[in-house]
Amino acid sequence: MDVTVDDVPPGSATEPAAAVVWHDLECGGYGADMELWRELAADARAAAPSASILDVGAGSGRVTLALAGRGHALTALDLDPLLLSALRERAARAGLAIESVCMDARRIALERRDFGLCVIPMQTIQLLGGAEGRLAFLRGAREHLRAGALVACAIVTELEPFDCATGDVGPSPETMLVGGTHYSSRATAVKLTPQLVRIERQRTVARAGEQRISLNVIELDRVSAAELAREGRRAGLTLHAVREIEATDEHVGSEVVVLRA
Ligand SMILES: C[S@@+](CC[C@H](N)C(=O)[O-])C[C@H]1O[C@@H](n2cnc3c(N)ncnc32)[C@H](O)[C@@H]1O
């Protein structure tokens, strides 16, 4: 097989269809958090039966579609139009009416100001450019919630560093076959600095006897539950609870900081 290696800068997508496949491959299989989102959604409905849920950083719809499938009204917000387009296609196929908005989480500006719950799963709040970005998101979310509603932010705080380049084994790859194309993604390093968690993945696309390898890098801002609670207070939110999501064989555990408007 011919092998080409190139570096893809953080956040860039090599081709539209592939952007959705990588998202599904690297995020779509995660399910350990779903019980908590279902519980919070049910509580929001009990408090206000007509309340809508705002899913921030909704991606291709892992959480949005699951909650909409249980009869909740959902607005899916994401910066990436390709992922939202996949989400809309999936919702249409499942017969689910979902509102979607392509918008930066740090500048939420929606007509509806009475959401009954805002969720920001899978560490998306750690992608917002540090404390300033998180505060902008929290203030915006606060303005869009009804009084007493919750905003639930999943964060990862405990990550073990490793580096396959220095002999560490690392996790096994996640793979997917789409049409005749094999996609494979393998985390090859987690590197910690005082401010950031840098996650490196090797992505391989194999099609018709050719193989293309690229490096994908995601950098998460480091933040603790206590810091997020303090930022919430500055945004007019009070701490309601900190919930734990257990680690699985494939995914690290996380904390969900739940703030009340
Ligand atoms: C880790 S994925 C989570 C996807 C989905 N919520 C899930 O749990 O499967 C992070 C998502 O946040 C989106 N995102 C990153 N920065 C954003 C921003 N500033 N505003 C809105 N969405 C953002 C990305 O496009 C991506 O879909």
Side-chain angles (χ1 to χ4, degrees), residues 23 27-28 30 33 55-63 77-80 83 103-106 120-124 127-128:
H23 184 80
C27 301
Y30 183 56
D33 57 347
D55 180 11
V56 174
S60 59
R62 187 180 67 88
V63 176
L77 181 150
D78 203 285
L79 204 48
D80 188 329
L83 298 179
M103 195 175 278
D104 193 314
R106 294 162 289 198
I120 178 159
M122 262 197 132
Q123 298 77 247
T124 301
L127 295 171
L128 300 184

Side-chain angles (χ1 to χ4, degrees), residues 93-151:
R93 270 206 303 276
L96 299 170
I98 284 166
E99 198 179 320
S100 68
V101 278
C102 192
M103 195 175 278
D104 193 314
R106 294 162 289 198
R107 285 181 281 281
I108 303 177
L110 302 171
E111 226 164 82
R112 178 181 276 276
R113 301 274 160 146
D114 62 349
F115 285 98
L117 173 66
C118 172
V119 297
I120 178 159
M122 262 197 132
Q123 298 77 247
T124 301
I125 198 165
Q126 292 173 274
L127 295 171
L128 300 184
E132 203 179 312
R134 290 193 298 275
L135 189 58
F137 157 70
L138 291 168
R139 286 192 168 128
R142 166 75 190 86
E143 285 170 12
H144 289 77
L145 293 175
R146 52 181 285 281
L150 302 180
V151 48

Side-chain angles (χ1 to χ4, degrees), residues 16-39:
V20 177
V21 174
W22 291 125
H23 184 80
D24 287 344
L25 188 56
E26 291 161 0
C27 301
Y30 183 56
D33 57 347
M34 209 55 90
E35 196 181 323
L36 177 59
W37 309 132
R38 284 196 290 261
E39 175 196 318

Side-chain angles (χ1 to χ4, degrees), residues 139-217:
R139 286 192 168 128
R142 166 75 190 86
E143 285 170 12
H144 289 77
L145 293 175
R146 52 181 285 281
L150 302 180
V151 48
C153 317
I155 55 171
V156 65
T157 52
E158 300 288 328
L159 269 174
E160 277 295 312
F162 70 91
D163 190 347
C164 294
T166 61
D168 293 333
V169 177
S172 42
E174 295 164 292
T175 61
M176 195 183 267
L177 179 63
V178 181
T181 306
H182 290 265
Y183 293 83
S184 163
S185 173
R186 185 168 79 100
T188 52
V190 168
K191 297 174 183 171
L192 305 182
T193 73
Q195 283 82 32
L196 293 171
V197 178
R198 180 182 161 98
I199 302 167
E200 297 179 3
R201 288 193 180 92
Q202 180 179 287
R203 290 174 167 181
T204 306
V205 180
R207 176 171 39 206
E210 284 195 7
Q211 181 170 274
R212 185 162 186 271
I213 298 172
S214 60
L215 174 70
N216 174 264
V217 176

